[in-house]
Amino acid sequence: MTFSMQLSDDQRDLIDWSRRFATEVMRPAAEDADEREEVPWGVVEEAAKIGLYSWDAMAQMSGDPSGLSLSLLAEELFWGDAGTAMVMFGTNLAVGGLLSAGTGDQIAEWAPQMYGDAAEPQVAAFCVSEPEAGSDVSNLRTRARYDERTDEWVINGQKAWITNGGIASTHVVVAAVEPELKARGQATFIIPEGISGIQSTRKIKKLGLKASHTADVFFDEVRVPGRCLLGGRDKLRERLARAREGTRTSTQNAMQTFELTRPIVGAQALGIARASYDYALDYAKNRVAFGRPIIENQAIAFTLADMRTEIDAARLLVHRAAWMGRNGQPFAGGEGSMSKLKASEVAVWAAERAVQILGGAGYSRDHPVERFYRDAKIYTIFEGTSEIQRLVISRALSGVHIR
């Protein structure tokens, strides 16, 4: 069996395609979207028009045997502008929840609707986190009860820090159906457009990713048809029965989604890190101080060398985890968490180094590195904090339930 790290022609074409879009469409709109803290719908519409933002594109990239295509796309788009890219990848996360829990028929019905079409693109939201259940997703208070009379599920509760929350056409919601079973008593539901009882009264003001809409979402007696239970009622009954008997069940859908998407989240952070490095490198080559470009100063050159090394090392971890996830290899050593942990911390570090290389200019809004710095920080927090990633890795290594 041969080993190769050579990208395929299709993958190189994907990089060229997405990088051109990031350069020509995303970057010119990035500063204004960040300043106004509003979704740049024009950019999303352009992505939909060229097929970059669509279920067809997502399905094709998800089918890549190497598992790398989505990571390659994420790195390029988040290199373009992390806030705008997060709007689009918020939908991908919701689709990930659908793919991990839904039946083939449910995927075929709902996945295309999450993106809308080229004429009228839509976004979707994956609703898991709550005010009292951020990292502790086993302690959800959002409840779903089944109404036998109408064959409907009734959902009540609050979700917090939801990307695309409230503006989404489709919400994928994880709720407890038997709270006493903790994570094993949860189920995932799809709430299509037009269902009453969903409210989003507060858009969250954030440090970074300001072009991305983040909000709390409230569910008040939200009624969805029985078919909106992902996986179906028979499968849920079987899983709950095993859980009541104490039989080990598979990881809950929310955690399955997060495990599989951690390399993609790592690739997003990687894009910000690379944007920071690229800008700092270009600046160092052209900024003259004491009669010479500052890159000729060893301190600057060594910092840039470290930045490039750390980014490349993080990319290797991301690509390994993406390949493992696509090919059904278990993250026995916490490889998914390793990729997200390393890439997120490199992103924060690289963005901070870029600000330092630019000095006072880097601290101003005259240069984008201050935005990169703000955008990067969330990656050590959401989709599992750095501390949670270290917990996952340490448990994998030791086999001991570490508290």
Side-chain angles (χ1 to χ4, degrees):
M1 180 177 178
T2 60
F3 172 77
S4 173
M5 296 183 69
Q6 183 70 36
L7 297 178
S8 69
D9 290 342
D10 286 345
Q11 289 168 337
R12 287 193 292 268
D13 288 344
L14 173 62
I15 291 172
D16 292 341
W17 183 36
S18 52
R19 186 174 299 175
R20 186 164 57 250
F21 179 81
T23 302
E24 297 176 359
V25 181
M26 298 180 76
R27 286 201 159 184
E31 183 179 354
D32 182 62
D34 179 79
E35 189 71 31
R36 291 186 295 108
E37 299 191 35
E38 294 180 2
V39 173
W41 287 109
V43 176
V44 180
E45 289 167 1
E46 287 300 314
K49 284 178 184 177
I50 66 172
L52 189 61
Y53 177 73
S54 68
W55 166 239
D56 287 344
M58 172 71 168
Q60 183 176 352
M61 284 182 273
S62 297
D64 173 10
S66 74
L68 298 185
S69 288
L70 273 176
S71 294
L72 296 172
L73 176 67
E75 180 177 339
E76 296 306 323
L77 295 188
F78 281 77
W79 173 87
D81 178 48
T84 304
M86 182 53 66
V87 177
M88 294 185 275
F89 270 77
T91 298
N92 290 346
L93 181 60
V95 171
L98 172 63
L99 294 177
S100 67
T103 65
D105 287 343
Q106 288 173 325
I107 293 167
E109 178 181 2
W110 299 113
Q113 295 184 37
M114 292 186 178
Y115 295 91
D117 55 37
E120 190 176 352
Q122 305 287 345
V123 295
F126 189 49
C127 304
V128 179
S129 297
E130 299 180 359
E132 302 301 324
S135 296
D136 182 12
V137 297
S138 66
N139 194 33
L140 299 182
R141 295 186 179 181
T142 297
R143 302 287 187 259
R145 71 177 190 275
Y146 184 64
D147 187 337
E148 296 271 2
R149 297 174 299 110
T150 61
D151 184 29
E152 292 177 317
W153 288 91
V154 185
I155 302 171
N156 287 279
Q158 176 186 358
K159 295 298 182 178
W161 312 295
I162 304 303
T163 299
N164 296 336
I167 66 169
S169 62
T170 306
H171 292 76
V172 178
V173 182
V174 180
V177 293
E178 290 199 21
E180 63 275 11
L181 296 177
K182 295 292 187 179
R184 295 180 298 168
Q186 295 174 1
T188 306
F189 302 86
I190 193 155
I191 304 180
E193 190 173 21
I195 298 293
S196 61
I198 302 177
Q199 288 189 326
S200 179
T201 58
R202 185 174 76 98
K203 176 185 175 183
I204 298 171
K205 295 282 190 177
K206 309 189 298 292
L207 173 70
L209 299 185
K210 292 185 176 183
S212 168
H213 184 100
T214 307
D216 291 345
V217 183
F218 297 86
F219 304 91
D220 182 13
E221 291 291 294
V222 174
R223 288 181 168 268
V224 296
R227 66 188 180 86
C228 290
L229 167 65
L230 296 186
R233 198 162 176 227
D234 289 344
K235 184 176 179 181
L236 175 63
R237 283 199 193 101
E238 293 172 6
R239 183 160 56 83
L240 293 177
R242 291 196 301 271
R244 293 187 205 102
E245 295 167 359
T247 305
R248 184 176 178 83
T249 59
S250 60
T251 307
Q252 69 268 34
N253 293 328
M255 291 310 297
Q256 285 180 326
T257 302
F258 289 141
E259 284 185 25
L260 292 174
T261 59
R262 276 172 182 156
I264 308 302
V265 176
Q268 296 172 11
L270 201 58
I272 302 172
R274 203 186 87 220
S276 302
Y277 164 77
D278 286 348
Y279 198 90
L281 176 63
D282 185 66
Y283 184 88
K285 287 179 177 179
N286 291 284
R287 174 75 167 101
V288 175
F290 303 103
R292 60 180 181 173
I294 63 173
I295 197 170
E296 294 182 17
N297 295 318
Q298 192 177 77
I300 300 294
F302 279 14
T303 297
L304 288 163
D306 286 343
M307 290 169 72
R308 177 61 183 267
T309 301
E310 290 295 308
I311 290 168
D312 281 10
R315 184 180 293 109
L316 289 172
L317 285 173
V318 165
H319 285 190
R320 179 184 69 170
W323 177 86
M324 291 177 69
R326 175 63 180 85
N327 289 280
Q329 301 294 316
F331 292 149
E335 291 85 355
S337 288
M338 286 183 190
S339 69
K340 196 270 183 180
L341 172 65
K342 180 64 174 177
S344 63
E345 298 204 337
V346 166
V348 173
W349 175 83
E352 195 273 340
R353 291 294 87 200
V355 171
Q356 191 71 21
I357 288 172
L358 268 69
Y363 196 70
S364 75
R365 292 195 174 184
D366 293 338
H367 297 270
V369 291
E370 64 86 26
R371 185 175 76 248
F372 301 157
Y373 192 23
R374 290 186 284 108
D375 289 345
K377 181 55 194 169
I378 191 61
Y379 282 87
T380 62
I381 300 172
F382 75 170
E383 308 295 336
T385 64
S386 289
E387 291 74 20
I388 289 294
Q389 307 307 328
R390 289 185 170 93
L391 185 64
V392 171
I393 297 165
S394 60
R395 284 176 176 174
L397 296 178
S398 66
V400 176
H401 188 81
I402 301 170
R403 298 183 64 85

